[in-house]
């Protein structure tokens, strides 16, 4: 049965390009990005799925008054196996805006193909994952395959602007969708060689610092308190965070937590004024073992020291604060089965890794459901001329097929 399915997948290029062409033409932008959400795209996909009689479709609507339809639909597709235990493939339907159109070589919402590559907004993030999952479903249907594991495909809304009306909504309102022993795989992260399986994330803390001094004429600096000098002293003092939180975890690259000053807002417009207020930002990626409360306590004490030395007042507030979920155990079943499928299918030795930013997997891990992120990507997401490889998409679907069918034989 596996070989039949792999053959169908290998012959699915035309179908894949047709589906990508349709998806690219329906830009699903969230209202934060001045779009109308996922309703039109979800409607198209529901029509596409109606051809597959062995699969059921459930639409979960998160209410959102900011879009005309009033809802942000996520699609839950189930193809039952002999066991209720389910292999979940999870992708998202929304995309990010095009950015500067002059940087695109063709219309981002009209698919362009050049050999193995297809271009358009969303073709990689996350249509590649979405289409590879649907190509597997199509192959199973064409082959009339019976599987041990059930196949679940979740096409979620609202991934690009925070997940609140997508995966977070589903896990909160409909926790019954996922069972504790289901296998959760998220094809929305990947490397070019497909060898990296992501199981952990660092906590993300973005802080805005406001350094308050006293403005005065630059010819008499002693009459004021220079906030730029205070902010500079603070930026250097924050370097201490690297020494206080110096644990290393080889799962991650870089292995340590990072604390990077990034954005700086404009202060005075002219050269001859001592600035009275400076605002800058710090991007922290903290190993999951450290509570962010501890990091913030250390930052406050650094601020207190700089205040005492420089006579400025310093406050900071959160722009983003996400305590990392515990890592999925490297030996959890979805990882070991995926690793086995990759060895067999591609003859490669997978690496289990952690990354610096949040993915949808964190929402599962927070609830004690192990989840792995994996696919084979050129990593052009969010860029102008976003593109993806047709052969990578099919190759990933082949790995999913092995995961679904090989594991069925073992179970
Ligand atoms: Zn994505």
């Amino acid at each position: 049965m596996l070989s039949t399915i792999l053959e169908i997948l290998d012959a699915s290029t035309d179908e894949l390009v047709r589906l990508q062409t349709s998806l690219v033409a329906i830009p699903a932008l969230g209202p934060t990005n001045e779009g109308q959400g996922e309703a039109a795209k979800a409607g198209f996909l529901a029509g596409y799925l109606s051809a597959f009689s062995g699969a059921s479709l459930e639409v979960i609507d998160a209410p959102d008054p900011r879009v005309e339809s009033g809802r942000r639909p996520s699609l839950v597709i189930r193809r039952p196996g002999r066991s209720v235990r389910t292999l979940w493939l999870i992708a998202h339907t929304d995309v990010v805006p095009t950015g500067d159109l002059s940087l695109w070589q063709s219309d981002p919402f009209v698919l362009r193909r050049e050999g193995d590559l297809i271009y358009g907004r969303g073709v990689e993030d996350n249509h590649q994952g979405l289409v590879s999952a649907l190509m597997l479903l199509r192959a199973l249907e064409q082959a009339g395959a019976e599987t041990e594991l059930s196949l679940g495909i979740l096409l979620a809304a609202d991934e690009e602007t925070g997940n609140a009306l997508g995966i977070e909504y589903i896990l909160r309102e409909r926790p019954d969708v996922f069972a504790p022993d289901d296998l959760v795989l998220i094809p929305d992260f990947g490397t070019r060689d497909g060898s990296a399986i992501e199981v952990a994330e660092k906590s993300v803390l973005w802080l805005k610092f406001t350094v308050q001094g006293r403005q005065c004429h630059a010819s008499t600096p002693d009459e004021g308190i220079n906030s730029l000098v205070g902010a500079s002293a603070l930026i250097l003092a924050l370097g201490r965070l690297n020494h206080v939180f110096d644990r290393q975890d080889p799962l991650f690259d870089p292995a340590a937590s990072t604390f990077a000053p990034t954005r700086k807002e404009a202060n005075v417009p002219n050269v001859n004024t001592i600035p009275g207020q400076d605002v800058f930002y710090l991007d922290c990626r903290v190993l999951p073992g450290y509570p962010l409360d501890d990091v913030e306590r250390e930052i406050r004490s650094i601020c207190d020291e700089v205040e005492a030395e420089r006579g400025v007042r310093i406050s900071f507030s959160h722009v983003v604060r996400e305590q990392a979920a515990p890592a999925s155990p490297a030996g959890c079943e979805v990882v070991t089965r995926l690793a086995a499928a990759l060895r067999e299918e591609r003859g490669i030795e997978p690496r289990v890794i952690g990354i610096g930013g949040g993915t949808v997997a964190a929402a599962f891990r927070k609830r004690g459901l192990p989840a792995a992120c994996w696919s084979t990507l050129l990593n052009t997401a969010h860029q102008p001329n976003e593109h993806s490889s047709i052969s990578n998409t099919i190759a990933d679907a082949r790995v999913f097929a092995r995961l679904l069918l090989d594991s069925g034989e073992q179970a």
Side-chain angles (χ1 to χ4, degrees):
M1 182 48 75
L2 179 62
S3 60
T4 310
I5 288 165
L6 296 180
E7 270 167 36
I8 297 173
L9 286 173
D10 287 344
S12 60
T13 296
D14 291 349
E15 180 66 14
L16 182 160
V17 172
R18 265 197 297 278
L19 181 55
Q20 277 272 24
T21 303
S22 302
L23 293 172
V24 165
I26 317 172
L29 291 159
T32 319
N33 289 325
E34 282 148 26
Q36 288 298 327
E38 302 81 2
K41 200 167 186 173
F44 164 79
L45 283 164
Y48 184 82
L49 290 160
S50 63
F52 304 138
S53 57
S56 67
L57 170 65
E58 181 187 3
V59 181
I60 298 180
D61 284 325
D64 188 348
R66 298 170 301 169
V67 293
E68 276 163 24
S69 66
R71 64 197 185 92
R72 306 289 296 280
S74 293
L75 306 182
V76 181
I77 302 145
R78 292 184 181 87
R79 186 174 191 276
R82 284 183 288 272
S83 160
V84 293
R85 193 177 189 204
T86 302
L87 168 68
W88 285 99
L89 300 174
I90 295 177
H92 61 87
T93 53
D94 58 325
V95 298
V96 293
T98 58
D100 186 350
L101 273 175
S102 70
L103 298 175
W104 287 78
Q105 281 161 15
S106 56
D107 186 336
F109 299 120
V110 177
L111 190 99
R112 174 165 67 91
R113 180 176 175 188
E114 272 178 34
D116 184 48
L117 298 180
I118 46 177
Y119 291 79
R121 175 53 86 224
V123 291
E124 175 175 278
D125 183 14
N126 190 207
H127 296 170
Q128 181 175 327
L130 185 161
V131 168
S132 58
L134 292 188
M135 288 302 106
L136 171 63
L137 175 63
R138 174 176 172 273
L140 293 168
E141 287 286 294
Q142 277 193 11
E146 282 184 29
T147 57
E148 177 64 30
L149 287 176
S150 296
L151 174 66
I153 300 173
L154 169 62
L155 306 180
D158 195 30
E159 193 272 345
E160 297 293 358
T161 48
N163 295 306
L165 299 171
I167 196 65
E168 292 286 352
Y169 179 86
I170 296 164
L171 286 167
R172 191 179 67 244
E173 299 296 323
R174 289 292 311 282
D176 57 295
V177 170
F178 303 97
D181 66 340
D182 285 351
L183 304 171
V184 178
L185 182 59
I186 301 163
D188 193 16
F189 157 84
T191 52
R192 289 182 86 98
D193 64 357
S195 68
I197 303 173
E198 188 261 313
V199 296
E201 289 146 4
K202 290 178 182 174
S203 298
V204 180
L205 181 64
W206 293 356
L207 295 175
K208 174 184 182 179
F209 289 84
T210 305
V211 180
Q212 205 72 50
R214 197 170 57 243
Q215 185 173 313
C216 69
H217 197 281
S219 63
T220 55
D222 290 346
E223 284 174 18
I225 298 172
N226 192 324
S227 60
L228 179 59
V229 172
S232 306
L234 176 58
I235 286 169
L236 293 177
L238 287 168
R240 193 164 92 205
L241 295 168
N242 295 294
H243 305 293
V244 176
F245 301 99
D246 63 350
R247 229 177 268 159
Q248 307 257 330
D249 184 341
L251 197 61
F252 293 91
D253 181 20
S257 303
T258 57
F259 304 91
T262 52
R263 178 171 169 207
K264 163 82 180 68
E265 288 182 11
N267 52 21
V268 289
N270 50 315
V271 175
N272 58 347
T273 295
I274 298 284
Q277 178 174 298
D278 269 87
V279 174
F280 72 92
Y281 296 78
L282 186 72
D283 176 312
C284 312
R285 313 284 166 135
V286 183
L287 287 177
Y290 288 121
L292 288 180
D293 282 346
D294 291 3
V295 175
E296 288 191 50
R297 207 170 302 120
E298 185 63 28
I299 289 173
R300 188 60 250 174
S301 90
I302 294 170
C303 291
D304 292 347
E305 288 167 28
V306 174
E307 284 183 341
E309 275 165 32
R310 303 283 171 178
V312 290
R313 275 180 297 120
I314 301 168
S315 60
F316 64 86
S317 57
H318 303 138
V319 181
V320 171
R321 187 187 198 281
E322 280 165 20
Q323 177 77 48
S328 297
C332 70
E333 207 175 325
V334 64
V335 172
T336 55
R337 287 190 183 207
L338 175 58
L342 282 168
R343 282 186 207 107
E344 216 168 309
E345 172 71 16
R346 300 200 186 163
I348 56 172
E349 188 51 40
R351 302 171 288 133
V352 175
I353 64 156
I355 61 168
T359 71
V360 171
F364 288 90
R365 295 182 188 133
K366 261 185 243 159
R367 289 162 176 87
L369 295 162
C373 300
W374 173 85
S375 56
T376 310
L377 295 184
L378 303 174
N379 284 307
T380 63
H382 296 214
Q383 297 171 24
N385 306 306
E386 177 178 355
H387 54 281
S388 71
S389 148
I390 295 168
S391 54
N392 279 351
T393 309
I394 292 174
D396 286 0
R398 287 176 58 105
V399 172
F400 301 154
R402 239 174 234 286
L403 199 54
L404 185 69
L405 281 103
D406 282 358
S407 59
E409 281 149 28
Q410 286 159 24

